[in-house]
Amino acid sequence: MQIYNTLTKKKEEFVPLNPGVVTMYVCGPTVYDFFHIGNARSFVMADIIRRYLEYIGYNVRYAMNLTDIDDKIINKANEEKIDSNEVAKKFTQAFYEDIKKLGIREANIHPKATEHMDEIVGLIDSLVQKGNAYNINGNVFYRVESFAGYGKLSGKKIDELESGSRVEVNTEKENPFDFSLWKKAKENEPSWDSPWGKGRPGWHTECSAMSMKHFGETIDIHAGGNDLIFPHHENEIAQSEAVTGKQFARYWMHFGFLNMKEEKMSKSLGNFFTAREILENYSAETIRLFFSQTHYSGPLAFSEDLLKTSQSALIKVENFVDLIKENSATSGGDSETTFDFESYFRLFSDAMDNDFNTPQATAVIFDFIKAANKAINETEQVGKNFYSKVLEFLNKTAQNVLGIIDLEKVKMQKSLENDLVKLLLDVRQKARAEKNFALSDEIRDKLTELGIELKDSKEGTTFKIK
RNA sequence: GGCGGCAUGGCCAAGCGGUCUAAGGCGAAGGUCUGCAAAACCUUUAUUCGUCAGUUCGAAUCUGACUGCCGCCUCCA
């Protein structure tokens, strides 16, 4: 299993610190708004990575943090004239709802900054003790120069940063790139006690503190969006490793952006759709297939047309599942079908083992469907065992790892509707027998208008409610 | 200015030195089925991989230059 590691800029063989167990920490959202479909991409891809690691037998300990105290939350609270707590609570709730709708599996833990103040303060205190941080009037800054490895993740050098910097120079700091660990409370701001007075944690501290608290000083995988490489993840490394002297995370993974017309989708640019909005019109499976068809590390252009493309592709998979389920219900016995299921499992693993190559993996699913269709068409007697193996393959790969299909959900229809449609089909069949095509077509057209699609075949007419 | 990424068919997108006259999806065209349809299924759809050099027996894949995009350096998945 190979993973591209941002730290070494290479694909590396993945070997967890402790055999059989993988600790994985993913940077989650700041809960000041609904998350957008670009955020959703990271969350979904992280979910697929987690699921695949479980698929190959690892016990994955998975955390995604929620930043629930931050400038943005405070600003939002001021705008809406409510308590910042309320803001965080509301969007935390929304976050849980949305990731559930996206089919994202529950994390083992969603650590929150406000629930880890002791650890955060403790971490900052250690940094101050060790000389990696300094307190100026209740603001504590990290002394960037004190950490030799600063820049090792992002490839940036402190002296080179200066040239293009547009950071407002804070004269209090020793170095303009020193970053805030603890922010002194302003009036009417939520605050916590600390050795430096009332305040709240700065941007990056929570992730270090929480990751170490829950998973120990060194974790296996730390992941997040591309834009977190610098400064967020760089700073996490500086904070954590300065304190522990140990490697903070062994594999750093970063997700490419979702772009709107060549431009990064982001809240600050205002060019975004919330995941919620998209979920109103598209299923989680469609969205997940859409994401899976591009490698997680590259950019992905978002448009509704592209999403529709994935929707069409998914219909193909669902039709196939329909067919398999129908056939499976009516067939019996074993068949002699020679079909190499193992090779498809292997191809799927090969793809995923190569730095989670989901586009390749989805291609394997489509190849599998084509080959299985062919086998069915070319075989006289297809037995039940074949169909159940097909379903097993899809269950293990497309459903459990990629989450692009829900085998249970396909073909769930209400019985009353079914009975009524069947009644109409009987009438139509009589009309057809009498060659009264005007009437039979009228029935068909009206049903089509209602979203009920008819399919005539030798065995009779079947239908599908769209 | 510094650092990083990308450029493959009408569109999206794999590919990591030979099996590439390049996977898969969408779209399109033809076929099977049908009273006609629709749906489904089957088949076809890049001798070519931004441009120009180079390395190599061999390059979409490595190197260099060039062109064009994008991101980070500032809160951001």
Side-chain angles (χ1 to χ4, degrees):
Chain A
M1 156 100 255
Q2 303 259 314
I3 292 180
Y4 180 86
N5 190 348
T6 310
L7 190 60
T8 55
K9 297 188 174 49
K10 278 197 304 248
K11 258 188 219 174
E12 293 174 353
E13 186 61 28
F14 176 67
V15 183
L17 196 59
N18 298 303
V21 183
V22 177
T23 45
M24 180 170 174
Y25 184 102
V26 182
C27 287
T30 300
V31 283
Y32 73 106
D33 198 355
F34 300 110
F35 66 82
H36 62 62
I37 190 74
N39 300 315
R41 182 189 185 196
S42 290
F43 303 158
V44 165
M45 294 319 286
D47 179 57
I48 290 175
I49 287 165
R50 182 256 188 111
R51 288 172 179 224
Y52 184 68
L53 291 170
E54 286 175 349
Y55 171 87
I56 56 178
Y58 287 115
N59 171 14
V60 181
R61 310 216 42 226
Y62 185 84
M64 179 179 281
N65 73 294
L66 296 175
T67 301
D68 61 350
I69 182 64
D70 168 88
D71 288 355
K72 291 186 165 182
I73 294 174
I74 294 170
N75 291 343
K76 184 97 175 190
N78 291 340
E79 271 170 37
E80 312 228 323
K81 303 205 185 341
I82 50 173
D83 196 82
S84 62
N85 243 330
E86 295 288 305
V87 173
K89 222 166 113 189
K90 174 178 171 189
F91 292 107
T92 296
Q93 185 57 36
F95 166 80
Y96 287 136
E97 287 167 14
D98 291 349
I99 57 167
K100 190 169 182 195
K101 277 190 259 171
L102 283 166
I104 291 168
R105 291 215 180 128
E106 242 175 82
N108 295 294
I109 182 163
H110 285 291
K112 297 170 191 73
T114 57
E115 291 170 7
H116 292 76
M117 279 306 156
D118 290 349
E119 288 80 7
I120 292 169
V121 169
L123 179 78
I124 298 171
D125 198 35
S126 303
L127 287 167
V128 173
Q129 303 295 327
K130 287 184 175 250
N132 295 290
Y134 53 95
N135 169 22
I136 293 179
N137 301 325
N139 284 303
V140 182
F141 298 101
Y142 187 93
R143 186 175 280 129
V144 161
E145 311 250 19
S146 73
F147 183 67
Y150 197 77
K152 66 179 174 181
L153 180 70
S154 58
K156 295 186 192 304
K157 298 189 178 72
I158 296 167
D159 33 326
E160 280 168 358
L161 280 171
E162 264 172 298
S163 53
S165 167
R166 279 178 272 152
V167 189
E168 256 183 68
V169 179
N170 180 336
T171 46
E172 285 188 322
K173 295 192 215 171
E174 291 177 5
N175 180 312
F177 298 98
D178 286 352
F179 56 90
S180 187
L181 294 170
W182 189 259
K183 294 183 170 182
K184 185 179 179 173
K186 294 186 193 123
E187 232 168 277
N188 296 323
E189 274 185 2
S191 64
W192 288 260
D193 288 324
S194 83
W196 320 283
K198 284 198 176 289
R200 64 194 154 88
W203 341 334
H204 318 290
T205 323
E206 60 176 82
C207 282
S208 292
M210 298 193 296
S211 176
M212 291 199 275
K213 154 137 199 221
H214 295 287
F215 292 157
E217 292 176 338
T218 302
I219 63 165
D220 290 307
I221 298 174
H222 194 118
N226 243 318
D227 48 358
L228 298 184
I229 296 174
F230 191 91
H232 186 59
H233 288 161
E234 194 69 65
N235 291 354
E236 282 184 41
I237 290 175
Q239 294 161 349
S240 312
E241 298 190 358
V243 167
T244 66
K246 297 196 180 123
Q247 182 167 30
F248 178 52
R250 305 172 65 238
Y251 299 86
W252 287 88
M253 300 182 70
H254 291 97
F255 305 112
F257 292 125
L258 197 69
N259 297 135
M260 294 288 289
K261 290 180 188 150
E262 305 278 294
E263 208 179 27
K264 172 185 172 185
M265 178 185 285
S266 81
K267 294 267 173 72
S268 31
L269 291 171
N271 59 343
F272 64 93
F273 292 103
T274 63
R276 265 186 189 218
E277 290 173 302
I278 303 299
L279 277 160
E280 279 171 20
N281 295 313
Y282 298 89
S283 68
E285 287 76 20
T286 297
I287 295 168
R288 295 178 69 108
L289 177 62
F290 173 65
F291 291 152
S292 297
Q293 284 177 306
T294 300
H295 188 76
Y296 75 81
S297 63
L300 170 56
F302 180 84
S303 78
E304 212 162 330
D305 279 350
L306 253 15
L307 208 47
K308 287 207 170 101
T309 289
S310 296
Q311 197 173 39
S312 301
L314 193 60
I315 288 171
K316 188 173 184 160
V317 181
E318 287 169 350
N319 280 329
F320 177 73
V321 172
D322 265 356
L323 174 83
I324 297 298
K325 281 188 163 178
E326 274 175 32
N327 287 2
S328 177
T330 56
S331 72
D334 286 357
S335 64
E336 293 298 307
T337 326
T338 52
F339 193 89
D340 191 356
F341 286 95
E342 280 315 306
S343 76
Y344 285 96
F345 276 112
R346 204 164 49 241
L347 288 169
F348 180 78
S349 296
D350 287 349
M352 293 299 282
D353 280 344
N354 181 15
D355 195 26
F356 308 98
N357 191 334
T358 53
Q360 188 89 268
T362 56
V364 173
I365 306 289
F366 285 108
D367 281 340
F368 170 81
I369 289 172
K370 183 176 275 191
N373 263 319
K374 203 165 184 180
I376 292 165
N377 291 339
E378 288 172 358
T379 311
E380 292 269 321
Q381 271 283 22
V382 184
K384 202 166 189 118
N385 64 328
F386 174 80
Y387 294 117
S388 53
K389 276 185 162 170
V390 167
L391 289 174
E392 184 197 334
F393 176 81
L394 291 177
N395 177 251
K396 287 187 173 166
T397 58
Q399 174 159 330
N400 282 345
V401 176
L402 300 174
I404 57 172
I405 182 113
D406 184 339
L407 294 173
E408 299 304 309
K409 211 159 75 182
V410 173
K411 194 120 188 184
M412 293 274 282
Q413 290 165 358
K414 284 191 202 128
S415 62
L416 179 64
E417 280 178 4
N418 280 2
D419 292 346
L420 289 172
V421 176
K422 276 184 191 143
L423 188 70
L424 284 167
L425 292 190
D426 284 345
V427 175
R428 175 167 171 269
Q429 197 45 50
K430 284 194 182 115
R432 291 177 75 206
E434 291 161 11
K435 300 217 186 294
N436 184 354
F437 295 125
L439 176 60
S440 71
D441 287 354
E442 189 184 338
I443 293 172
R444 181 176 63 197
D445 293 345
K446 290 274 160 62
L447 285 174
T448 305
E449 277 173 33
L450 293 171
I452 297 163
E453 200 167 75
L454 303 193
K455 177 174 150 190
D456 291 332
S457 72
K458 282 195 195 95
E459 293 79 33
T461 302
T462 57
F463 65 94
K464 193 157 105 184
I465 301 174
K466 286 229 149 182

